[in-house]
Amino acid sequence: MTASSSLPTLPGAWAQALWRRAQSWWHLLHFGAVAVVLMLSPSSYDTSRRSRTAHYIHATTWQVLPWFTVLTALLSLVLIRIVVVTAVSYGLSQYALEMVVRVLVLELIPLSAALFVTLRAGLAFNAGAAPTSLSEPPRPAPGASLQRLREGLLAQVTGNVFSVLALAVISSVVALVLAYLLVYGVSPWGLPGYARTVGRVFEPIVAFGFALKTVLFALAVAVVPAAASLEPRTQGAAASTVQPGAVRLFLVLLLIEAASLTLRYF
Amino acid sequence: MDAMNSPPEPAASNASAKPIAHVEFKAMLLLALMLVLIFSFALYVMVARGVFESTQRLVLIADDSEGIVVGMDLTFAGFPIGRVRRTELADDGKVRILVDIPSKDLRWLRASSVFTMERGVVGETRIRAYTGILSDPPLPPNSERTVLRGDATAEFPQLVAAARDLLANLGNMTAADSNLNASLGNVRTTTERLNGRYGVLGGVLGSDDNARKIITMLERTNSLLTKADERVFGKRGVMDETQVAIAQLNAILSDTRASLQKVDAILAEAQVVSSNARVASTDLGALRKEVDTSLRRITQLVDEINRKWPFARDTEIKLP
């Protein structure tokens, strides 16, 4: 077999790869849309499915919430201390609190919650779902049976979305409390100034962007690995050491973060 | 289709293998906690941004809105008392900064309040309010006030010009032929004289020669004073003779006092004489009255005779 007969021509190969990529992204978007609709549909939460969803919420949030909160509190403590001490040493203490709130609450904590849930649940999900070898038959496309999607994946997707949101919200509140305690100490007299600073940071657009970014992080973490695990794999595709969906998930998170920063600061 | 029938769910399969107590309650608890936190935080942010405060509008007029950000504070004595809600460009090209003042902080602003916009080299622009007289009438709603600008960077050209003049003056002052240098030279000369043989005297008088003359003069004065002391206070000196003269003068004064006493007696006698004379002059007055009366009678008698005399034609009466 000659090389020209065994391999497709270069433009053709590029076109095929491009087509597969487009199909893959479309599959992701379609799956995400269906998952969101199902999550928001009350009929998805009958007794058995509600129990299943509760199990996933327990597994993805309840079990990890204490030590994730402790971990983020520790990291927040270190960061707040560094920022405050540095700002005071440069005579810019009036900006320290605002910087802490912007850096920690608006940027780092939602991203760390998303990455944490990705590592714990998303990739574990992929590890369980991924075929062990290419000899396994390709998986079918999603949407073939809405009922099966509802039965199989919805609870897990809902659990992951909820986990990212809960971890981000609770850790943000803890970081805000820690920031107040580190700057003002255990004293109520700093509350008006602190509230004013928080209010200045959370302008309506910034607050909306923060909420939207966190929700998009949660959806990405829940949907991308699930969509990748159900995506039909092309026969003869090169085996990858990376779990399916991992690269795409990080790309999506990067895009969301970049878009958020761009819209907020430019 | 197999994947859909048996979805990959390691966590759930593990979870379903071991029954979890109150799993639905825990899930609902988490959901409720998250909702409470989200709504509480949203409420807190709204309160922090003053959404529920009753406010009064204040319009500040400025030339330039650079550095003015929606949401920034208006401060009074370092305390935030208002927020910038909007900035707009008026038809006359002026910038209108709309500030909301909470009702509880309105008491710090009066009709005579002054507003400044300060833009430092480092840091953000600040809008400050100054109220000198807190008993003035309160600020009316929708008041418009012009903002006084305090731009540090605008002062740079003047500052550089002033610094250049200052440096030029400093250069002139520190030049080799400058007055300051000459003064310092004089100071050095003076201090050298102060450290010289005659010390402060040499420094004050300008040279050692003058100081030496002064010292010589002092020595002569000292010897002169010694001689004068001998002449004045010595034996048979001026003071002894003066004492004798004073004794003689004392005797003369005693004689004079005795003479004056005699004069005093004479004067007393003269006073008696003068009083007698006064009595005598009183008797003379009575005598004159009697003479006048006699003369008047004689005159009347003569008139009577003339009137009775037959040849007399002149009937004129002449008074004395």
Side-chain angles (χ1 to χ4, degrees):
Chain A
M1 189 179 286
T2 62
S4 58
S5 61
S6 61
L7 292 176
T9 58
L10 203 57
W14 283 1
Q16 278 187 354
L18 202 61
W19 177 245
R20 280 200 302 271
R21 287 290 171 92
Q23 272 189 322
S24 175
W25 279 100
W26 171 250
H27 164 73
L28 170 65
L29 292 175
H30 182 260
F31 180 85
V34 170
V36 169
V37 169
L38 287 178
M39 273 193 291
L40 296 176
S41 172
S43 62
S44 303
Y45 300 99
D46 58 10
T47 307
S48 63
R49 291 170 190 149
R50 194 167 62 239
S51 174
R52 197 179 180 85
T53 305
H55 273 90
Y56 272 107
I57 288 176
H58 181 272
T60 56
T61 307
W62 183 274
Q63 290 179 348
V64 300
L65 184 61
W67 59 272
F68 178 79
T69 306
V70 170
L71 186 66
T72 51
L74 187 64
L75 289 175
S76 301
L77 204 67
V78 173
L79 273 175
I80 293 166
R81 186 72 185 156
I82 290 172
V83 170
V84 169
V85 168
T86 308
V88 168
S89 67
Y90 283 101
L92 300 171
S93 56
Q94 68 268 29
Y95 303 111
L97 203 54
E98 189 170 332
M99 184 178 172
V100 162
V101 174
R102 285 188 188 279
V103 169
L104 269 180
V105 178
L106 291 184
E107 306 298 341
L108 289 183
I109 287 180
L111 187 61
S112 61
L115 292 176
F116 179 81
V117 176
T118 299
L119 292 174
R120 188 175 187 278
L123 296 183
F125 169 87
N126 269 348
T132 52
S133 72
L134 291 176
S135 60
E136 287 188 4
R139 281 167 283 181
S145 169
L146 201 60
Q147 186 63 26
R148 288 174 183 168
L149 173 63
R150 184 178 282 175
E151 293 290 339
L153 289 175
L154 187 60
Q156 192 170 2
V157 170
T158 306
N160 287 337
V161 167
F162 182 83
S163 178
V164 173
L165 292 178
L167 294 182
V169 168
I170 293 171
S171 300
S172 296
V173 172
V174 169
L176 284 174
V177 173
L178 280 176
Y180 177 83
L181 292 177
L182 276 180
V183 173
Y184 295 102
V186 188
S187 162
W189 305 113
L191 281 174
Y194 184 70
R196 209 168 181 89
T197 303
V198 172
R200 196 164 54 230
V201 171
F202 281 92
E203 296 170 3
I205 294 178
V206 172
F208 177 74
F210 169 66
L212 184 65
K213 183 178 79 171
T214 310
V215 169
L216 288 178
F217 274 170
L219 284 175
V221 167
V223 167
V224 173
S229 69
L230 294 178
E231 193 175 349
R233 187 159 299 177
T234 309
Q235 287 288 352
S240 172
T241 55
V242 181
Q243 296 298 336
V247 176
R248 182 171 296 177
L249 175 59
F250 286 121
L251 181 63
V252 170
L253 292 179
L254 182 67
L255 287 176
I256 293 171
E257 184 65 38
S260 166
L261 290 174
T262 305
L263 290 176
R264 188 177 303 156
Y265 296 111
F266 294 100
Chain B
M1 290 295 174
D2 295 338
M4 283 294 189
N5 290 333
S6 57
E9 44 188 350
S13 58
N14 291 340
S16 59
K18 291 186 292 183
I20 302 167
H22 312 297
V23 65
E24 286 197 29
F25 172 73
K26 291 175 181 175
M28 291 303 292
L29 192 66
L30 278 175
L31 187 62
L33 175 67
M34 196 178 74
L35 288 177
V36 165
L37 283 178
I38 289 174
F39 283 111
S40 301
F41 185 71
L43 190 68
Y44 174 72
V45 170
M46 283 194 283
V47 170
R49 290 188 63 80
V51 174
F52 305 112
E53 288 176 339
S54 69
T55 59
Q56 177 176 309
R57 177 59 55 86
L58 165 69
V59 182
L60 299 177
I61 311 290
D63 295 328
D64 189 1
S65 70
E66 189 179 347
I68 301 296
V69 182
V70 173
M72 69 183 295
D73 292 330
L74 165 70
T75 61
F76 173 80
F79 286 84
I81 61 168
R83 283 189 182 88
V84 173
R85 287 299 181 203
R86 205 171 70 197
T87 57
E88 58 189 21
L89 194 57
D91 293 335
D92 58 354
K94 298 283 187 183
V95 176
R96 289 167 57 85
I97 306 167
L98 308 184
V99 182
D100 281 351
I101 315 289
S103 300
K104 65 184 174 61
D105 293 323
L106 270 175
R107 60 197 173 114
W108 303 117
L109 297 181
R110 299 289 163 174
S112 60
S113 294
V114 176
F115 300 90
T116 63
M117 185 167 69
E118 297 165 21
R119 189 176 302 141
V121 180
V122 178
E124 59 187 6
T125 301
R126 296 177 183 279
I127 303 177
R128 291 191 167 105
Y130 296 92
T131 302
I133 307 170
L134 285 172
S135 56
D136 274 358
L139 192 70
N142 297 316
S143 300
E144 295 191 0
R145 294 285 187 276
T146 303
V147 179
L148 305 175
R149 286 186 62 193
D151 192 348
T153 55
E155 302 292 332
F156 271 163
Q158 296 177 6
L159 195 66
V160 170
R164 191 167 54 227
D165 291 342
L166 182 67
L167 288 175
N169 288 335
L170 198 63
N172 291 333
M173 288 167 65
T174 56
D177 55 347
S178 66
N179 294 331
L180 181 65
N181 222 2
S183 300
L184 288 174
N186 293 335
V187 169
R188 187 176 60 189
T189 306
T190 305
T191 53
E192 284 175 354
R193 286 174 186 161
L194 291 176
N195 291 327
R197 181 182 174 188
Y198 295 101
V200 177
L201 199 58
V204 170
L205 297 176
S207 68
D208 288 349
D209 291 340
N210 293 336
R212 191 166 55 248
K213 287 176 185 174
I214 288 291
I215 289 173
T216 306
M217 186 185 72
L218 286 175
E219 288 173 350
R220 286 180 180 173
T221 305
N222 203 12
S223 62
L224 186 64
L225 285 173
T226 307
K227 290 175 183 175
D229 187 52
E230 289 176 357
R231 295 294 299 272
V232 173
F233 298 104
K235 192 175 181 181
R236 296 186 61 80
V238 174
M239 287 303 292
D240 290 344
E241 292 177 356
T242 303
Q243 277 182 339
V244 172
I246 287 173
Q248 291 175 355
L249 186 61
N250 204 9
I252 291 169
L253 285 175
S254 299
D255 295 343
T256 305
R257 187 167 59 236
S259 301
L260 284 175
Q261 285 174 350
K262 290 176 182 174
V263 170
D264 191 41
I266 292 169
L267 284 175
E269 289 177 359
Q271 192 176 12
V272 171
V273 170
S274 65
S275 63
N276 292 338
R278 188 167 56 243
V279 171
S281 62
T282 306
D283 295 340
L284 283 175
L287 184 61
R288 187 182 174 190
K289 282 181 182 175
E290 289 178 1
V291 170
D292 283 344
T293 306
S294 301
L295 279 176
R296 201 172 292 118
R297 285 176 184 169
I298 290 168
T299 304
Q300 287 173 358
L301 185 63
V302 171
D303 290 342
E304 188 69 25
I305 292 168
N306 284 337
R307 196 169 50 245
K308 290 177 179 180
W309 191 260
F311 301 107
R313 293 286 184 260
D314 191 4
T315 59
E316 184 182 359
I317 298 173
K318 290 185 181 177
L319 295 176

